[in-house]
RNA sequence: GCCUCAUUAGCUCAGUUGGUUAGAGCGGCGGACUGUUAAUCCGUAGGUCCAAGGUUCAAGUCCUUGAUGAGGCGCCA
């Protein structure tokens, strides 16, 4: 059935604007999706512009029964009419419909969603429709706000947004397994005379992959533009099956010239506080929905496993309190003397200095010992990447360390990983040789250290982990529209 | 990749030591009501119990294998 267009063409007004300005006694047009149709009379209409619905009141006694029949949960409709003060409780204004248009019918027998609570797992399998739910609409509005806030934060501080390549020929970044990019025919891969794959016939005439990090290219930009940041998709072909890993995710990587590790920590902390505060300020309604959802979800858990703070309290806490900063060496001391370590409750007991921290250790520090975000610094050089700056030896520190920092958040774990970069050419080359990083492939990177090198620092922020923290969603697959993970690339 | 748990109606779930015809709420459909707030009330239909094999007089229930999902771990952001 073709839609009946409004005789009098009027621009539609977004529900967010109507509820903000409440233009009572004016005629408005709204268009959206039916969230509920009560009593053959009251339509709860949502157009995605905000969490709240607008109540559209139908004069059902004089309405065409064939039209009323089509007003179903999920249908796309338009309504023209006078905005009036609501007679009922629960909303201040409502729209007295003079005309209703059905744009898209929604057959309740076919439509997978229902006007009730549905499991996140079910909705994940219907990811193309889950935007229609209150929870996911809220998540994606918050996700947008956070992305915007990040751009605003950096732009306001004179950073340049640098677009680093998504296809890269460098496989020396050391940040994990990569996805190969090729146009070679997989059913008939060409080989050279000595039996190697003949990449000379490939599109780029060399092996290429999807990027695992824009950092090295970002450094090149920073060493001329001063302060840059990247914000783009990142790909890891790791077989990771957890609630905080994706094969395709978005990462923010600022890089700052003439900056040391402390500057780096200050920047990361200020940014995280800024964007959390932005969400509190601009996403109050959506955060309320997510907070209530979390409360419901936690009712199923035993008392001692429920989070002590509500979602917005948690965000306020991050905004208002300084992060705890301590060195790896200090953290090891705390962990060694901790109750769970003494009682043998850690799956991986703390033996001593030098071992990488497991997530149970990070969780203990963040959730039990400090109960606030923690920045760990100056890790052993042996467990960190080649480009991190070697520290001067310090008293009481058993081995060489680098100017690395990881920011750990409650419930999320590592949300930021960064470092001051090794700007000294000789030191960097020595490190690359020790770690078997092919110098020839990164000659362009080494040029920055040959010509006008300077101290600089940067970090990587996992955007989805940030969205998880702010929305309280437990699974990272629920904060990205169409998650990619091992065995899954649907939609 | 490893470990644990799950899979029963469209959705969320119950189903006792293996025992007759597998249940509920929501949703659907039919009707009533008409200022409702996931409206309410009455009626009604709806099932290859994930798949394949096995044990047994008898399997939704026990065993084996596989698939899918969830959580934890590792890798990391």
């Amino acid at each position: 059935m073709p839609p009946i267009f409004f005789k009098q063409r009027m621009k539609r007004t977004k529900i967010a604007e109507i509820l903000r300005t409440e233009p009572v006694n004016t005629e408005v047009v709204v268009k959206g999706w039916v969230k509920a149709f009560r009593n053959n009379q009251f339509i709860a209409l949502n157009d995605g512009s905000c969490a709240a619905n607008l109540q559209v009141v139908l004069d059902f006694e004089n309405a065409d029964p064939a039209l009323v029949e089509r007003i179903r949960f999920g249908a796309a409709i338009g309504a023209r009419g006078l905005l009036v003060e609501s007679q009922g409780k629960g909303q201040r204004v409502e729209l007295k419909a003079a005309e209703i248009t059905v744009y898209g019918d929604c057959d309740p027998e076919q439509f997978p969603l229902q006007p009730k609570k549905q499991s996140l797992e079910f909705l994940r399998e219907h990811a193309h429709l889950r935007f229609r739910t209150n929870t996911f609409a809220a998540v994606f509005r918050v996700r947008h706000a956070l992305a915007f806030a990040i751009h605003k934060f950096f732009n306001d501080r004179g950073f340049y947004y640098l677009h680093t390549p998504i296809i890269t020929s460098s496989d020396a970044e050391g940040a994990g397994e990569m996805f190969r990019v090729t146009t070679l025919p997989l059913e008939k891969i060409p080989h050279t005379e000595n039996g190697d794959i003949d990449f000379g016939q490939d599109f780029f005439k060399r092996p290429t992959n999807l990027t695992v990090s824009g950092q090295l290219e970002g450094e090149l930009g920073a060493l001329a533009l001063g302060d840059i940041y990247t914000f783009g998709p990142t790909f890891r072909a790791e077989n990771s099956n957890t609630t905080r890993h994706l094969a395709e995710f978005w990462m923010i990587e600022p890089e700052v010239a003439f900056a040391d590790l402390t500057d780096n920590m200050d920047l990361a902390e200020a940014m995280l506080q800024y964007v959390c505060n932005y969400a509190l300020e601009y996403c109050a309604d959506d955060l309320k929905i997510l907070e209530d959802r979390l409360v419901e979800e936690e009712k199923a858990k035993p008392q001692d496993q429920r989070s002590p703070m509500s979602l917005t309290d948690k965000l306020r806490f991050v905004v208002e309190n300084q992060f705890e900063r301590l060195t790896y060496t200090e953290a090891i001391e705390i962990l060694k003397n901790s109750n769970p370590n003494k009682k043998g409750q850690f799956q991986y007991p703390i033996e001593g200095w030098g071992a990488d921290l497991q997530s149970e250790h990070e969780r203990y520090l963040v959730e039990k010992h400090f109960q606030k975000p923690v920045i760990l610094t100056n890790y052993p050089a042996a467990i960190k990447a080649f480009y991190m700056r070697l520290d001067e030896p310090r008293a009481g520190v058993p081995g060489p360390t680098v100017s690395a920092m990881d920011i750990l958040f409650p419930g999320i774990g590592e949300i930021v990983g960064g470092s001051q970069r090794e700007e000294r050419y000789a030191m960097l080359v020595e490190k690359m040789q020790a770690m078997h990083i092919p110098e020839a492939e990164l000659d362009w990177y080494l040029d920055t250290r040959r010509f006008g090198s300077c101290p600089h620092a940067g970090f990587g922020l996992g955007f989805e982990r940030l969205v998880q923290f702010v929305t309280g969603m437990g699974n990272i697959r629920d904060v990205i529209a169409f998650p990619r993970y091992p065995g899954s690339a649907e939609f």
Side-chain angles (χ1 to χ4, degrees):
Chain A
M1 201 183 289
I4 312 137
F5 287 106
F6 297 112
K7 288 157 204 141
Q8 218 182 338
R9 294 215 34 113
M10 277 175 68
K11 205 176 164 208
R12 85 173 165 117
T13 309
K14 295 234 176 156
I15 289 170
E17 194 191 326
I18 290 174
L19 295 178
R20 193 175 63 242
T21 59
E22 296 184 350
V24 170
N25 294 324
T26 58
E27 191 177 64
V28 293
V29 170
V30 292
K31 298 176 183 180
W33 294 268
V34 175
K35 302 294 270 193
F37 186 32
R38 290 182 287 267
N39 230 344
N40 269 3
Q41 199 178 174
F42 303 103
I43 302 166
L45 193 71
N46 187 283
D47 66 1
S49 62
C50 58
N53 302 324
L54 179 69
Q55 174 152 291
V56 176
V57 186
L58 192 66
D59 178 10
F60 71 99
E61 278 168 339
N62 298 310
D64 173 9
L67 180 80
V68 175
E69 183 87 344
R70 297 173 63 200
I71 301 170
R72 315 279 322 225
F73 175 71
I77 69 163
R80 179 179 59 80
L82 206 61
L83 193 79
V84 296
E85 283 181 27
S86 178
Q87 291 176 38
K89 287 174 181 143
Q91 59 279 316
R92 285 153 59 94
V93 294
E94 64 192 20
L95 183 70
K96 270 178 91 77
E99 191 175 11
I100 299 275
T101 305
V102 177
Y103 289 100
D105 290 289
C106 190
D107 180 356
E109 290 231 280
Q110 304 287 319
F111 192 43
L113 303 187
Q114 288 176 21
K116 60 170 238 175
K117 204 181 147 144
Q118 281 176 299
S119 72
L120 296 175
E121 292 80 13
F122 174 80
L123 293 170
R124 214 170 286 150
E125 287 170 16
H126 297 80
H128 56 306
L129 295 172
R130 63 181 178 171
F131 299 108
R132 300 277 187 93
T133 65
N134 293 337
T135 295
F136 282 95
V139 165
F140 288 104
R141 277 189 295 265
V142 172
R143 185 181 163 112
H144 159 79
L146 290 170
F148 181 80
I150 284 164
H151 283 300
K152 183 165 166 51
F153 174 86
F154 285 121
N155 182 64
D156 288 355
R157 280 157 188 76
F159 282 66
Y160 298 107
Y161 177 24
L162 183 69
H163 297 93
T164 50
I166 288 169
I167 298 172
T168 171
S169 60
S170 137
D171 63 355
E173 288 158 8
E177 292 296 312
M178 304 178 92
F179 288 102
R180 172 59 48 86
V181 175
T182 183
T183 56
L184 290 177
L186 290 179
E187 67 285 356
K188 201 181 153 199
I189 296 171
H191 288 84
T192 59
E193 282 171 10
N194 57 20
D196 296 335
I197 293 172
D198 185 7
F199 284 106
Q201 292 187 43
D202 205 349
F203 187 89
F204 295 108
K205 301 203 185 302
R206 61 198 297 182
T208 48
N209 299 294
L210 292 179
T211 182
V212 291
S213 164
Q215 181 202 313
L216 301 189
E217 291 91 344
E219 286 186 48
L220 311 182
L223 265 61
L225 295 164
D227 303 341
I228 66 96
Y229 71 105
T230 73
F231 190 160
T234 308
F235 307 88
R236 305 268 166 96
E238 304 285 350
N239 191 10
S240 295
N241 294 288
T242 77
T243 53
R244 50 188 195 286
H245 288 86
L246 290 166
E248 177 183 291
F249 63 100
W250 289 67
M251 190 154 65
I252 295 102
E253 294 180 290
E255 196 68 38
V256 181
F258 308 107
D260 63 13
L261 187 65
T262 302
D263 298 324
N264 206 25
M265 288 191 277
D266 291 346
L267 179 69
E269 184 169 341
M271 187 203 64
L272 287 167
Q273 290 179 326
Y274 178 90
V275 299
C276 287
N277 189 55
Y278 188 93
L280 281 168
E281 200 169 329
Y282 290 94
C283 306
D285 289 354
D286 288 319
L287 290 178
K288 178 76 172 56
I289 284 177
L290 294 163
E291 180 167 292
D292 292 347
R293 191 202 70 83
L294 210 54
V295 169
E296 279 300 310
E297 191 182 79
E298 293 211 329
K299 276 183 185 168
K301 292 185 189 171
Q303 203 96 47
D304 61 327
Q305 282 177 37
R306 294 179 197 171
S307 60
M309 274 190 261
S310 74
L311 183 61
T312 46
D313 285 346
K314 197 179 68 174
L315 292 176
R316 264 185 224 108
F317 185 86
V318 165
V319 170
E320 288 163 8
N321 291 280
Q322 288 199 327
F323 298 0
E324 191 70 33
R325 299 182 184 189
L326 73 161
T327 66
Y328 167 90
T329 307
E330 290 162 340
I332 287 288
E333 278 308 305
I334 290 171
L335 288 166
K336 223 193 303 186
N337 297 321
S338 69
N339 275 330
N341 196 51
K342 286 175 177 167
K343 291 180 184 167
Q345 288 166 347
F346 283 140
Q347 199 188 333
Y348 300 88
I350 296 290
E351 305 283 357
W353 197 91
D356 212 347
L357 298 182
Q358 306 294 320
S359 53
E360 60 179 345
H361 306 136
E362 296 179 346
R363 279 228 302 280
Y364 173 81
L365 290 171
V366 173
E367 289 161 24
K368 293 267 154 49
H369 190 84
F370 291 113
Q371 301 192 325
K372 61 191 325 198
V374 169
I375 312 182
L376 284 182
T377 63
N378 307 95
Y379 283 79
I383 59 171
K384 286 290 180 183
F386 75 93
Y387 50 72
M388 297 186 177
R389 192 180 198 277
L390 194 67
D391 292 325
E392 298 300 318
R394 288 193 220 183
V397 179
T401 59
V402 287
S403 293
M405 63 130 181
D406 283 359
I407 302 185
L408 311 175
F409 263 33
I412 309 290
E414 187 180 342
I415 196 166
V416 161
S419 68
Q420 185 175 342
R421 317 307 189 188
E422 183 55 82
E423 85 282 11
R424 298 161 294 187
Y425 178 80
M427 306 283 279
L428 186 58
V429 169
E430 194 181 311
K431 197 75 159 294
M432 289 171 76
Q433 284 167 353
M435 292 191 173
H436 307 293
I437 310 287
E439 281 167 71
E441 276 200 42
L442 288 181
D443 201 48
W444 52 272
Y445 180 68
L446 285 167
D447 264 0
T448 53
R449 274 62 168 177
R450 290 188 186 105
F451 310 115
S453 187
C454 74
H456 61 288
F459 60 85
L461 167 77
F463 183 56
E464 281 76 16
R465 289 189 183 173
L466 174 68
V467 181
Q468 266 189 287
F469 179 75
V470 174
T471 60
M473 300 298 282
N475 192 320
I476 200 166
R477 296 167 189 179
D478 294 332
V479 298
I480 189 165
F482 303 107
R484 273 80 180 92
Y485 50 94
S488 184
E490 224 187 323
F491 309 107

